[in-house]
Amino acid sequence: MSLRSTLDFLLYQWLDAEALNQRPRFLDHSRETFDAVLDTCERIAREKYAPFNRLVDTQEPHFDGHKVILPQATHDAQKAYAESGMLSAAQDFEQGGMQLPYTIEAAANAFFAMASVSIGSGMLSTGNANLLMAHGTPLQKGVFARNEFSGRFSGTMCLSEPQAGSSLSDVATRALPDGEGFAQDPLGARYRLRGNKMWISAGDHELTENIIHLVLAKIPGPDGQLPVGTRGISLFIVPKKLVNTAGALTGERNDVALAGLNHKLGWRGTVNTLLNFGEGKYPVCSTGGLDGKGAGAVGYLVGQPGEGLRCMFHMMNEARIGVGIAGTMLGLAGYEASLDYAKSRPQGRPAGPAGKDASQPQVPIIEHADVKRMLLAQKSYCEGALALALYCARLVDEQHSGTPEAADEARLLLEVLTPIAKSWPSEWCLEANSLAIQVHGGYGYTRDFPVEQYWRDNRLNMIHEGTHGIQAMDLLGRKVLMEGGRGLALLAGRIQATAAQAQKRPEWAAHAAALTAAWQQITDATRAAWATGKPGDALANAVPYLQAFGHTVLAWIWLDVALTPHGLDDAKSIAANIGRTRATAYFYHYELPKIGAWLQVVTNRDQTCADMPTDAF
């Protein structure tokens, strides 16, 4: 089943995306306009991205002493993407957007992630601009966000620092008011920033006229000391090149210097940087500066001082769903490659009562049960993850365009599901890539076939936008408890509704019972983890909890998808329906039983790992 036919089924038959067109925001849309967007993105991905996936992997970004050099193919792909209008797809018509549902936007962007994830398709720029549309001033929206939506500027998010990593409490970049009139700058209260940011994707390049960095930094107190913890973090717009209030470049470079390029295992086509802010390489004198010498990089405050992390989460949560989709599509790319290989590679013969008959021709390896197992595992992981991502995208549309009650429910469900939407595909679609290599045999480990690159690219997604440990602590330590556990209860209601529907059909009754039992195990483990009320006891096994929770959610998603009629009776639709049925059965027979082992240590509040003495390793 092709990606397009899979998307069409999930969008139109499972999620009923056409129903969104009845809402005021989407009245100008129809199935035809949605299909036109999907057609356009599929074509651009096929023509501008896919043919160059290996090229950008081998021709990594390099710095010539003046600028970062990228292959021409990357420039062409980014230009085609910007011209398609996808950077501003979800924005209002008045902002130059399409007012496209996020469900369709996410589905359309899947084509680019599958074709060449490391060329990229503007996820950071769109997230950066969306944050400014939510928290910026009218002029910040017009000068920075609008130019990012048009593709003239691009954007980054600058959180991590060499000494802090994911521990944002230890952010040391400091921001000082830039002179007496700092608060009156029309672009926002003007500060000077000094510090270092690490692992900044798209941090320096020549793909756009300007790069807009969103930077977390702390404003020192009256004693000159930085505030302790995350509550003292503020957010700043720091453009690579300074602009005026009309958005035109002033011709002056901001004091943002490239300190080095990071060369990663995968995503080699994406520039990844260490940036120095305010080191003095490009002193800025036009604003006067603190000491008359233009010390520090010019940055404009977003929102209020101390609210930077709250604002940044607007971008981080979008990015987490985006990372989940990237992991999913890399898994699907590997699945399709290994499926094609398994159908065409002859090797071995089936065993009969008398053993194997060497005089008979070899059969394609897809005829072997273990190869079918590996292919079915990939299908269950990747198509299930795609369904989860689109379900979350549909919740985003519900949150923004549904009734107040439905919008509030969607908000809470997204809170609970976002850690799963990011982390589950990152782990299990990576496993799918590993299985794709195995299906290829020895050839899978060579660069003659694409599956080794898919694995390398996907391995980064386990750490992008927060590790499993961070997502797990967020889920068990905050999301399942928030608002008195209401989000967890809402999810339970939806799972129980699917199980009840399946219970009425004999062919699905066993799966319904298994899903109900699995959710009860999750509920019991959640209570047991917090039985002592001590975070140390509960969170010691947060990752196994996340894994079990994710597997249960995917079991629910698969059963809900499988219950959806395929609608057509042609041979392809019938085959696709059998494929979904078998993938569901595989997940329930081979995957869902794993949650018992994961939840046992959670329920027992096992301290084997937490109590391990450091010197005993």
Side-chain angles (χ1 to χ4, degrees):
M1 193 177 188
S2 70
L3 174 59
R4 181 56 185 274
S5 59
T6 302
L7 285 174
D8 284 348
F9 172 82
L10 292 174
L11 290 172
Y12 299 127
Q13 293 177 247
W14 180 50
L15 292 174
D16 192 17
E18 287 183 88
L20 291 169
N21 299 327
Q22 300 169 15
R23 299 182 178 183
R25 179 167 182 78
F26 308 123
L27 282 175
D28 289 329
H29 286 292
S30 65
R31 170 74 182 262
E32 287 71 27
T33 63
F34 290 169
D35 283 347
V37 170
L38 296 174
D39 289 343
T40 298
C41 291
E42 186 176 19
R43 176 183 57 79
I44 295 172
R46 182 177 62 250
E47 296 175 357
K48 299 292 186 181
Y49 285 70
F52 307 104
N53 190 44
R54 178 64 79 186
L55 181 143
V56 299
D57 185 63
T58 55
Q59 295 185 20
E60 294 184 65
H62 67 276
F63 183 57
D64 68 358
H66 301 282
K67 59 185 179 181
V68 174
I69 307 298
L70 287 164
Q72 183 61 40
T74 301
H75 290 260
D76 296 341
Q78 297 280 20
K79 180 181 179 183
Y81 185 81
E83 289 177 349
S84 75
M86 286 302 293
L87 286 166
S88 59
Q91 296 303 308
D92 295 346
F93 293 130
E94 293 76 12
Q95 298 291 338
M98 303 183 204
Q99 290 189 194
L100 194 70
Y102 182 62
T103 308
I104 304 301
E105 179 186 2
N109 278 325
F111 290 111
F112 302 101
M114 190 170 183
S116 183
V117 73
S118 70
I119 288 180
S121 55
M123 180 181 76
L124 289 174
S125 294
T126 300
N128 180 307
N130 286 343
L131 182 153
L132 293 176
M133 294 300 291
H135 300 288
T137 66
L139 196 56
Q140 288 173 344
K141 296 175 187 179
V143 170
F144 300 111
R146 286 290 298 274
N147 280 306
E148 289 183 86
F149 286 137
S150 73
R152 183 174 165 234
F153 297 170
S154 58
T156 74
M157 55 191 302
C158 299
L159 290 76
S160 297
E161 297 181 1
Q163 84 292 340
S166 300
S167 180
L168 296 180
S169 296
D170 298 306
V171 162
T173 299
R174 57 176 55 221
L176 298 173
D178 187 20
E180 292 183 2
F182 80 98
Q184 279 70 53
D185 194 300
L187 290 175
R190 191 180 64 247
Y191 287 75
R192 292 300 187 105
L193 278 70
R194 291 179 178 174
N196 315 101
K197 293 294 181 176
M198 189 66 163
W199 313 119
I200 309 307
S201 294
D204 202 343
H205 53 74
E206 302 297 318
L207 297 169
T208 54
E209 286 184 41
N210 205 357
I211 302 173
I212 309 304
H213 302 290
L214 285 178
V215 183
L216 293 182
K218 292 182 176 181
I219 302 170
D223 59 357
Q225 300 298 308
L226 295 181
V228 176
T230 59
R231 293 185 179 180
I233 295 175
S234 300
L235 181 63
F236 300 88
I237 300 167
V238 184
K240 176 181 176 180
K241 300 172 184 177
L242 296 180
V243 300
N244 62 25
T245 54
L249 304 183
T250 65
E252 189 168 17
R253 174 76 181 262
N254 203 356
D255 196 6
V256 181
L258 176 65
L261 297 178
N262 300 307
H263 298 283
K264 290 189 172 184
L265 173 79
W267 289 56
R268 292 180 176 179
T270 300
V271 184
N272 192 273
T273 62
L274 169 62
L275 298 177
N276 292 342
F277 292 85
E279 70 171 14
K281 185 173 183 178
Y282 305 103
V284 180
C285 299
S286 61
T287 59
L290 290 167
D291 52 12
K293 297 178 182 178
V298 173
Y300 305 101
L301 182 68
V302 179
Q304 297 300 314
E307 295 187 359
L309 199 55
R310 181 182 68 84
C311 295
M312 185 59 91
F313 265 110
H314 188 105
M315 184 175 182
M316 289 166 67
N317 282 332
E318 278 191 34
R320 285 172 175 173
I321 295 175
V323 167
I325 292 175
T328 297
M329 302 321 296
L330 283 163
L332 276 170
Y335 168 58
E336 286 199 355
S338 62
L339 178 60
D340 288 343
Y341 184 83
K343 288 179 177 179
S344 61
R345 167 69 171 175
Q347 185 173 320
R349 298 166 180 84
K356 295 181 180 180
D357 184 352
S359 68
Q360 294 298 311
Q362 296 191 82
V363 297
I365 62 173
I366 198 170
E367 297 297 329
H368 300 304
D370 194 54
V371 174
K372 288 184 178 182
R373 176 190 63 82
M374 290 188 284
L375 291 170
L376 200 47
Q378 292 178 68
K379 182 180 179 69
S380 74
Y381 297 152
C382 301
E383 290 186 14
L386 179 60
L388 171 64
L390 294 178
Y391 184 87
C392 289
R394 187 68 167 77
L395 288 175
V396 171
D397 285 324
E398 199 65 38
Q399 184 180 0
H400 293 156
S401 65
T403 64
E405 181 180 357
D408 189 54
E409 287 190 2
R411 172 188 65 84
L412 272 171
L413 283 166
L414 274 170
E415 291 279 8
V416 175
L417 289 175
T418 295
I420 306 301
K422 185 275 170 188
S423 62
W424 198 92
S426 301
E427 179 172 4
W428 294 98
C429 293
L430 177 68
E431 174 61 18
N433 288 133
S434 180
L435 291 170
I437 292 174
Q438 191 73 9
V439 169
H440 279 74
Y443 288 113
Y445 297 85
T446 71
R447 290 199 172 189
D448 298 321
F449 290 85
V451 287
E452 61 85 26
Q453 182 184 344
Y454 296 144
W455 187 92
R456 286 188 289 105
D457 284 341
N458 216 352
R459 184 59 183 82
L460 272 67
N461 287 317
M462 291 182 73
I463 196 168
H464 279 162
E465 301 308 324
T467 64
H468 279 6
I470 289 172
Q471 303 299 331
M473 288 189 287
D474 182 43
L475 177 67
L476 181 55
R478 194 167 73 90
K479 296 299 180 60
V480 300
L481 304 176
M482 65 187 301
E483 298 187 25
R486 194 159 70 90
L488 191 65
L490 284 170
L491 179 59
R494 301 210 174 186
I495 289 173
Q496 289 160 3
T498 298
Q501 183 185 355
Q503 190 69 49
K504 299 174 183 177
R505 297 170 57 177
E507 68 271 30
W508 299 115
H511 292 345
L515 178 60
T516 301
W519 185 253
Q520 187 61 52
Q521 289 182 71
I522 294 290
T523 302
D524 293 343
T526 306
R527 292 196 188 101
W530 285 104
T532 66
K534 299 177 181 178
D537 290 348
L539 301 180
N541 295 290
V543 167
Y545 179 85
L546 175 81
Q547 290 171 312
F549 199 107
H551 258 51
T552 304
V553 166
L554 264 292
W556 161 57
I557 290 287
W558 262 119
L559 187 55
D560 205 71
V561 167
L563 288 169
T564 304
H566 56 83
L568 301 174
D569 291 326
D570 60 284
K572 287 186 177 180
S573 296
I574 292 171
N577 190 57
I578 293 172
R580 287 189 290 270
T581 299
R582 290 300 180 94
T584 304
Y586 174 88
F587 203 88
Y588 274 81
H589 295 163
Y590 287 77
E591 296 295 330
L592 190 57
K594 295 176 181 177
I595 74 167
W598 288 324
L599 292 178
Q600 183 174 0
V601 293
V602 177
T603 300
N604 294 339
R605 298 182 297 281
D606 191 287
Q607 298 294 305
T608 300
C609 300
D611 289 347
M612 175 71 171
T614 301
D615 59 4
F617 280 99

